[in-house]
Amino acid sequence: MALNDDELEPRRPILAPRDLEIMSIESLQEYIGDLEAEIARVHEVIARKQIARQGAESFFRKK
């Protein structure tokens, strides 16, 4: 049984949601920017991993 990348990574605890009601509008806008930047970073890593996976799959299919 082969393990995929997700099974090799340690499980991270789920972070508790922030209390948005106590945050100012400016803080909320900054928080959105931070989340969008993190989402963009995750998309970049996913894209790199997909390219690497495709390369590996292509290499092993040829043999």
Side-chain angles (χ1 to χ4, degrees):
M1 178 172 138
L3 297 176
N4 64 34
D5 290 342
D6 295 334
E7 293 171 327
L8 298 175
E9 296 176 12
R11 297 257 182 214
R12 290 186 8 201
I14 297 174
L15 300 176
R18 289 189 182 183
D19 184 358
L20 303 178
E21 294 300 322
I22 64 171
M23 296 174 73
S24 68
I25 292 171
E26 292 79 17
S27 293
L28 288 167
Q29 290 171 334
E30 184 178 319
Y31 182 51
I32 288 172
D34 292 344
L35 292 172
E36 288 172 341
E38 183 67 3
I39 289 168
R41 189 173 75 90
V42 171
H43 282 298
E44 290 173 7
V45 171
I46 289 170
R48 285 196 312 265
K49 286 185 174 214
Q50 287 174 330
I51 290 169
R53 178 184 283 171
Q54 290 169 356
E57 288 173 352
S58 175
F59 176 79
F60 288 109
R61 270 188 248 148
K62 292 179 181 179
K63 290 189 172 198

